[in-house]
Amino acid sequence: MSQDGRVDVAVVGAGFAGLGLAIRLARRGFTDFVVLERAGDVGGTWRDNRYPGVSCDVPSHLYSYSFRPAPDWSRVFAPGEEIQDYLRRAAVEEGVEPHVRYGAEMERARWSATHGRWEVATAAGTWWARVLVLAAGRLTEPRIPDVEGLGEFPGPVMHTSRWDDDVALDGGRVGVVGTGASAAQVIPRLAGRAAELVVFQRTPAWVVPRGDRPYSAGERRRLARHPEAARALREEIFDDAERAVDARRRVRPAIDELRERARRHLRDQVGDPALRSRLAPGYEIGCKRIVLSDELYPALVRDDVVLEDSALARVDGRTAVAASGARYDLDALVLATGFHAARQPYAPRVHGRRGTLAEHWADGMTAYASTSVHGFPNMFVLDGPNASLGHNSAIYMIETQIEYVLGALDHLARAGGPLEVSAAAEQDYVRDVDAAARDTVWLSGGCRSWYVDETSGRLTLLWPGSARSFRERNARFDPAPYVAPRER
């Protein structure tokens, strides 16, 4: 890497995507790259989310790099701290940590046609990169609800992704806003600690059994001694998850079986018919993110837990007022309210040939191969438009995109550049994605979710098919859809 701020590849973000690309580059012997990280540690989502009970909803042996398996996961679903440790070890042992610049939040990235490079200004200096890779993820900026009086609440207010261990919650009256994936993990950990826990439920979640358990010492030894057994386990988990895509496509009997599984779980864990009715969703299963939990329902039936099945409407001093009109005096508020996922906060900071990425994405995120954006030469987006899944591992998708980017870098090394995908190619790809999404549960299941862009109504976060179909279409770089500089 040059000492004058010139670098061949600048990667923004040191989470799974950014580190994964960095590791693959380093294993090729490529050293002219920098990873720009706004925080003081690697890990992304798993660095930021430290709330009690945080863990992954994908089994551990699938939620890890295929090129860096870890046979010693402690549980079927690894806790967040363990995943963070895995990423820290990967950065150090693969030799990429020296390439990471901490405290280097991207303030502006601007394409310079004169230099054929990206000028990337950060809080830690400016880099001139031939290639820019945005690996900032989609679960980075917490969504704080617009609730009247919330800013004047006299007690602590914490989003789950900004947890403060110094806040004393034991013995207090605590409100949790939300009943999604993060809430389902934190609620059981706060129930019993708080003297009273009030859960504000705007919309019930579909919940299915999690089936988590610790791996025995014998299982861990066997997987460590027999890598082929670990690979077989990973493939088995992947294949099992892949079958779930039929339910998201509303294929029968798959969706009926999934719905009945969730309803049976609710009946088995909640004996009170009135409470069961309040916890029963009124939209199709899978429309919103399905919650995996064996602990949420038992927590909600406790005598010291109150389910308020309406949203938090306003805050009046220490009193939280629900949309139903119910009032609760609270000492602390926990916001399990998700993230700005469909509208990436970094988009206004990225300036291409004719405008910002936010302007290009005014009607929702788009990209060719879910990776390249017209008007933004030599730029690639990891874990961005239509590159996530509602049924399988995000790491599989990230690795597919990494293969695509490595192919593009190989092409640039041979043929020069810059590389810019044509507008027609991006439009055709988006048209295909939209057509595939049309009849899925995400667009026809009767709910509003963070998978769908609020302005356009398009499914912009998820790939509307199987993980394998994403890899078949998008793992191999093809220069054909890219326009030559003289054609622009």
Side-chain angles (χ1 to χ4, degrees):
M1 185 169 60
S2 171
Q3 297 301 309
D4 63 357
R6 289 172 65 87
V7 66
D8 199 62
V9 180
V11 182
V12 179
F16 257 110
L19 285 181
L21 176 59
I23 290 169
R24 293 294 306 280
L25 290 172
R27 288 190 177 190
R28 288 171 153 220
F30 185 82
T31 60
D32 193 11
F33 69 92
V34 64
V35 180
L36 304 173
E37 172 54 55
R38 67 178 181 178
D41 198 0
V42 301
T45 294
W46 301 105
R47 175 199 61 233
D48 294 343
N49 285 268
R50 298 179 296 101
Y51 58 84
V54 61
S55 63
C56 190
D57 276 348
V58 175
S60 314
H61 284 277
L62 185 56
Y63 198 80
S64 47
Y65 297 125
S66 64
F67 51 82
R68 190 182 167 85
D72 59 342
W73 293 110
S74 67
R75 306 186 65 86
V76 172
F77 295 92
E81 185 177 2
E82 199 170 330
I83 300 172
Q84 171 70 344
D85 288 343
Y86 168 82
L87 290 170
R88 283 197 189 107
R89 289 197 310 272
V92 172
E93 294 172 6
E94 297 285 350
V96 301
E97 191 176 38
H99 293 268
V100 182
R101 298 293 178 269
Y102 296 112
E105 180 171 4
M106 181 184 70
E107 297 172 342
R108 186 188 70 256
R110 186 181 300 275
W111 171 253
S112 170
T114 302
H115 296 90
R117 286 180 175 264
W118 284 92
E119 179 190 14
V120 187
T122 79
T126 299
W127 280 265
W128 288 85
R130 190 166 67 111
V131 174
L132 175 65
V133 181
L134 300 175
R138 55 196 165 75
L139 305 181
T140 57
E141 296 299 324
R143 181 185 290 275
I144 307 300
D146 184 14
V147 173
E148 178 187 349
L150 183 62
E152 284 73 51
F153 182 71
V157 178
M158 292 186 294
H159 191 276
T160 48
S161 67
R162 302 293 185 267
W163 196 263
D164 185 350
D165 289 319
D166 293 331
V167 172
L169 298 176
D170 293 359
R173 299 164 301 175
V174 180
V176 175
V177 182
T179 50
S182 297
Q185 293 181 347
V186 76
I187 287 169
R189 296 297 181 272
L190 297 183
R193 285 182 55 187
E196 181 181 62
L197 189 68
V198 179
V199 177
F200 292 88
Q201 174 187 267
R202 183 177 61 183
T203 309
W206 285 100
V207 184
V208 297
R210 186 174 178 83
D212 190 22
R213 66 172 182 85
Y215 283 114
S216 69
E219 286 175 308
R220 294 166 73 176
R221 282 195 301 270
R222 182 177 68 86
L223 292 171
R225 292 171 181 170
H226 303 284
E228 70 281 3
R231 284 194 296 272
L233 176 60
R234 182 185 182 95
E235 291 169 5
E236 178 185 344
I237 296 169
F238 176 85
D239 288 340
D240 184 58
E242 195 75 331
R243 284 188 284 272
V245 74
D246 281 348
R248 275 62 173 188
R249 290 171 170 164
R250 309 191 77 174
V251 174
R252 289 184 166 172
I255 193 166
D256 300 321
E257 292 168 351
L258 179 61
R259 190 190 314 110
E260 178 53 31
R261 185 182 179 210
R263 286 175 173 168
R264 184 169 57 249
H265 189 49
L266 177 57
R267 290 195 301 268
D268 289 346
Q269 292 203 316
V270 180
D272 179 4
L275 181 57
R276 275 205 308 269
S277 177
R278 296 164 63 198
L279 291 168
Y283 55 90
E284 184 59 277
I285 190 166
C287 185
K288 290 178 177 285
R289 183 175 176 178
I290 298 173
V291 169
L292 281 67
S293 179
D294 297 317
E295 301 176 308
L296 175 60
Y297 289 151
L300 293 176
V301 302
R302 291 174 58 105
D303 291 339
D304 53 4
V305 176
V306 176
L307 177 67
E308 168 52 55
D309 46 353
S310 71
L312 176 63
R314 71 178 193 276
V315 176
D316 184 7
R318 284 194 176 275
T319 303
V321 184
S324 67
R327 301 170 66 88
Y328 302 93
D329 291 334
L330 300 174
D331 300 309
L333 274 168
V334 173
L335 307 178
T337 48
F339 299 87
H340 291 282
R343 294 282 168 167
Q344 293 289 354
Y346 62 73
R349 307 179 188 184
V350 181
H351 300 256
R353 290 192 299 109
R354 289 193 293 264
T356 68
L357 192 54
E359 291 167 339
H360 187 82
W361 286 349
D363 292 325
M365 295 190 298
T366 60
Y368 173 76
S370 295
T371 307
S372 297
V373 183
H374 175 66
F376 296 81
N378 287 11
M379 188 191 83
F380 305 95
V381 185
L382 301 183
D383 200 18
N386 297 112
S388 299
L389 292 170
H391 71 284
N392 211 326
S393 174
I395 312 307
Y396 183 92
M397 304 290 277
I398 286 169
E399 289 189 15
T400 299
Q401 292 188 285
I402 288 173
E403 288 298 327
Y404 187 91
V405 172
L406 292 175
L409 293 177
D410 289 342
H411 178 83
L412 281 168
R414 293 191 303 268
L419 275 174
E420 181 184 339
V421 73
S422 71
E426 182 178 339
Q427 290 163 6
D428 288 347
Y429 180 86
V430 172
R431 192 177 300 114
D432 288 349
V433 170
D434 287 350
R438 190 169 299 124
D439 295 325
T440 63
V441 69
W442 301 298
L443 293 184
S444 58
C447 78
R448 291 178 57 193
S449 80
W450 53 277
Y451 298 143
V452 175
D453 183 78
E454 293 181 354
T455 300
S456 63
R458 292 183 51 250
L459 180 70
T460 56
L461 254 71
L462 301 184
W463 175 252
S466 67
R468 282 194 178 93
S469 69
F470 184 84
R471 181 159 292 188
E472 288 166 0
R473 178 157 187 172
N474 295 323
R476 187 183 184 93
F477 176 79
D478 178 4
Y482 289 78
V483 293
R486 65 177 180 274
E487 297 174 7
R488 296 195 199 101

